[in-house]
Amino acid sequence: MPSRIRVDVTKKQNAIHPFLYGQFIEFLGRCINGGIHDPDSPLSDADGFRLDVLEKVKGLNPPLLRFPGGTVVKIYHWMDGVGPKEERKRQANRIWGGVIDHAFGTNEFIQYCRKIGAEPFLVVNMTTGTPEEAADWVEYCNGTGDTYYANLRRSHGFEEPHNVKYWGLGNEEAAVPDIGYLHDPKEYVKAAWEFAKHMKLADRSIKLVLPGDKPEWNKAVLDELHPVCDYLSLHYYASSLNGDGAEYFSHAAKLEKRIAETRELLAEYPARVENFDRWYRFPPRQREIRIALDEWGIWQIGNSDDYVRDMETVYNWRDALLVASMLNVMQRQSGAVTMATFAQMVNILAPIFTNEQGSFLQTIYHPLKLYREHSGNWKLSCETDSAMLTDGEGKPSAVPCLDVSATYHDGREEIVLAVVNRDPSRPAKAVVSFTGADVPEIAEAIELTCPSWETVNGFGLDDQVTCTVKTDARHDADGGYVFPPRSITLLKHRSAIRD
Ligand code: AHR
């Protein structure tokens, strides 16, 4: 029996924010130092940016970049990373090991964002930092007046403000083993109010992201902070600890469930904040609270003590299929998730991998690039009935072979079906139908495939992922289309939707 994909083209459901395709960098292992920034490398430009990496990052085209952490924000003081480079301190990275030499600080980060066309998203230190320090950072970045920190930025060569709009109020503050005092939501709320007040008084227009956790934490912090919080953050790392067969893909469904539960909670808070005391001297939140999935990816947590080395994961093609499935989840949940940053961009759990001589694209790079480049900017409603993947013994699992997201690109007038066939060895035929239209002509089918589930890329190897662009692809008479085994297909249909 073929699978069925039904797309409703009578209505565009919601806009999909480009920020879904963001990236994250942290002072963790070789993500920043030796990844994007390496002043001593012959591969770097005069500013110390690795040019081979920069070119690959431009291929991902992230519209948003989160920095400097992650857990490391708990020891990060922004003043250490500005001013003359020879005076910057070499700080022991007590969180992840190694040294933060601060050669890459706020201004280098902003320069990098400008080079790649990304909006900056900064996260403040609520552990060893103070509300005043965070507000000073806002003033340094965004100040336009004749004030100390705005002038300090100017004296560092940046006359114009950086206009950093997105600010995280800490990172994973509920995580008990991490350093910090704010694991109890009551403590967090108390501190976060103070940080929010200081920072908003430095720039009333900034948007704040609260670190989320389990549902109880989320409710406790939102009940108090919802008037000033624009986003609640979620972090989701998939792993194959519970198996790497069909069940591995159930992570996509788990992520979708977490987002859906969080979305329900967010619906309890008013879209507009009424009766906000004018003596706060800044406005309250102006629209619904959204979800920022500001760390997501695949983390195969090992047993060794060298967790930083473990995070230099080499990803296979099965991982790429899971990444594509998770991107489908984000598109389907784009009414609630309007910001996401993949963790992390280079070397650490990352799509780009370097050594001193060069760099290569991991398998997971390809879906990240493809979705960013070709997906539509509106969500369409879509239902899929698919056969199930089988487990190791040939019994059907609870995981469908096909995972689908439908979007509409109004600039290109294209309906884009993103279809992941997770069956490792068999093609899958699906009959596609469109409510409100005949089956439109296929403009283009872009297919990513790889020799096997286990295939990886590496140094000295040609890229093992094949990208095929078919301009002559057609549905058969009953609307059928055959998706190759272990493939990611973006099936673009020419069609104008007007509503
Ligand atoms: O991305 C690696 C780490 O994972 C981040 O520092 C932390 O926020 C999360 O636990």
Side-chain angles (χ1 to χ4, degrees):
M1 278 287 283
S3 299
R4 296 202 158 268
I5 300 171
R6 281 179 287 269
V7 191
D8 184 350
V9 295
T10 56
K11 190 171 168 15
K12 296 185 257 178
Q13 284 215 314
N14 58 260
I16 298 178
H17 203 291
F19 281 177
L20 286 199
Y21 310 103
Q23 293 283 333
F24 164 47
I25 55 173
E26 177 172 8
F27 291 108
L28 197 178
R30 301 185 308 117
C31 178
I32 294 175
N33 298 93
I36 66 174
H37 196 244
D38 195 350
D40 296 331
S41 168
L43 301 176
S44 296
D45 67 10
D47 296 322
F49 297 123
R50 275 276 296 255
L51 290 172
D52 57 329
V53 176
L54 181 62
E55 189 200 322
K56 291 176 170 71
V57 171
K58 283 183 177 168
L60 288 174
N61 190 18
L64 181 72
L65 191 61
R66 179 175 183 252
F67 166 81
T71 310
V72 89
V73 295
K74 292 172 176 185
I75 58 165
Y76 186 79
H77 297 282
W78 69 270
M79 283 284 283
D80 295 339
V82 297
K85 289 209 173 161
E86 56 286 1
E87 289 169 22
R88 297 193 194 173
K89 48 160 112 140
R90 288 179 60 79
Q91 179 186 5
N93 186 340
R94 296 197 185 118
I95 302 292
W96 295 116
V99 171
I100 305 171
D101 65 9
H102 291 290
F104 185 93
T106 303
N107 296 315
E108 291 76 19
F109 169 66
I110 297 291
Q111 279 176 309
Y112 205 75
C113 287
R114 303 300 178 231
K115 275 181 199 283
I116 63 175
E119 278 284 329
F121 168 11
L122 291 172
V123 185
V124 303
N125 174 354
M126 292 182 65
T127 302
T128 58
T130 64
E132 192 178 25
E133 178 188 348
D136 293 343
W137 200 8
V138 175
E139 183 187 314
Y140 181 88
C141 289
N142 297 356
T144 52
D146 181 11
T147 58
Y148 180 78
Y149 289 102
N151 286 335
L152 188 64
R153 181 196 70 237
R154 293 185 187 103
S155 76
H156 294 157
F158 296 87
E159 186 56 36
E160 296 305 319
H162 294 324
N163 290 323
V164 180
K165 193 167 169 193
Y166 302 97
W167 294 82
L169 286 180
N171 173 76
E172 294 189 358
E173 298 298 330
V176 172
D178 286 347
I179 62 167
Y181 316 94
L182 306 175
H183 310 135
D184 177 341
K186 287 202 196 76
E187 297 294 319
Y188 177 77
V189 164
K190 206 165 142 200
W193 258 116
E194 218 42 38
F195 273 76
K197 286 191 275 189
H198 278 256
M199 291 167 72
K200 289 258 186 185
L201 289 171
D203 179 348
R204 303 153 53 100
S205 71
I206 60 171
K207 305 285 175 209
L208 298 178
V209 182
L210 294 190
D213 196 72
K214 306 240 158 25
E216 314 78 65
W217 164 282
N218 293 345
K219 182 160 171 40
V221 300
L222 284 171
D223 278 354
E224 300 298 327
L225 289 159
H226 75 87
V228 287
C229 135
D230 300 283
Y231 297 87
L232 178 75
S233 114
L234 285 187
H235 289 179
Y236 192 94
Y237 290 98
S239 89
S240 56
L241 274 185
N242 296 323
D244 58 5
E247 68 277 24
Y248 183 45
F249 295 108
S250 63
H251 278 291
K254 285 183 196 147
L255 170 64
E256 193 146 19
K257 188 160 171 267
R258 274 196 56 193
I259 294 172
E261 283 164 2
T262 309
R263 181 180 197 155
E264 263 177 44
L265 173 65
L266 295 184
E268 291 177 16
Y269 301 95
R272 290 194 73 81
V273 180
E274 308 288 346
N275 305 322
F276 190 69
D277 191 327
R278 62 195 285 264
W279 290 109
Y280 279 110
R281 301 177 180 85
F282 58 82
R285 170 173 57 81
Q286 298 293 302
R287 52 173 306 170
E288 297 93 340
I289 306 166
R290 305 291 200 206
I291 297 171
L293 186 63
D294 58 9
E295 288 186 30
W296 73 278
I298 301 176
W299 190 345
Q300 309 291 12
I301 298 169
N303 291 324
S304 88
D305 286 341
D306 195 347
Y307 18 78
V308 174
R309 204 34 181 283
D310 285 350
M311 281 190 255
E312 295 208 351
T313 311
V314 175
Y315 291 104
N316 64 24
W317 185 240
R318 184 184 42 216
D319 298 321
L321 297 178
L322 179 56
V323 165
S325 308
M326 290 163 91
L327 286 163
N328 279 355
V329 168
M330 284 184 242
Q331 291 187 345
R332 289 195 293 262
Q333 296 294 332
S334 53
V337 183
T338 60
M339 179 187 273
T341 52
F342 188 83
Q344 301 189 358
M345 188 164 76
V346 184
N347 287 327
I348 296 295
L349 312 170
I352 300 168
F353 201 95
T354 72
N355 67 11
E356 286 175 6
Q357 287 77 43
S359 47
F360 70 85
L361 303 179
Q362 297 245 31
T363 56
I364 61 171
Y365 179 94
H366 294 279
L368 291 167
K369 176 174 189 293
L370 194 79
Y371 276 67
R372 168 71 174 126
E373 210 169 305
H374 297 281
S375 297
N377 55 333
W378 290 90
K379 177 195 160 184
L380 297 177
S381 169
C382 171
E383 284 174 17
T384 308
D385 299 322
S386 162
M388 296 294 164
L389 282 175
T390 49
D391 66 14
E393 283 136 33
K395 292 198 216 97
S397 70
V399 179
C401 294
L402 292 184
D403 186 76
V404 186
S405 158
T407 61
Y408 179 67
H409 196 293
D410 53 8
R412 294 198 290 254
E413 299 199 329
E414 280 174 355
I415 298 166
V416 184
L417 301 187
V419 182
V420 189
N421 179 11
R422 303 176 291 193
D423 193 303
S425 51
R426 281 171 305 191
K429 177 170 172 175
V431 173
V432 187
S433 59
F434 294 79
T435 310
D438 295 333
V439 178
E441 197 185 316
I442 296 176
E444 207 176 43
I446 308 176
E447 261 173 28
L448 294 178
T449 50
C450 212
S452 83
W453 255 18
E454 306 299 333
T455 304
V456 296
N457 282 341
F459 290 112
L461 287 177
D462 287 338
D463 194 336
Q464 301 294 298
V465 181
T466 304
C467 180
T468 313
V469 181
K470 297 178 180 166
T471 49
D472 56 354
R474 295 287 171 265
H475 286 285
D476 62 23
D478 65 356
Y481 191 88
V482 178
F483 298 95
R486 50 178 192 284
S487 63
I488 302 164
T489 304
L490 293 196
L491 204 51
K492 300 173 162 190
H493 299 81
R494 241 181 286 276
S495 182
I497 303 179
R498 318 214 182 276
D499 78 327

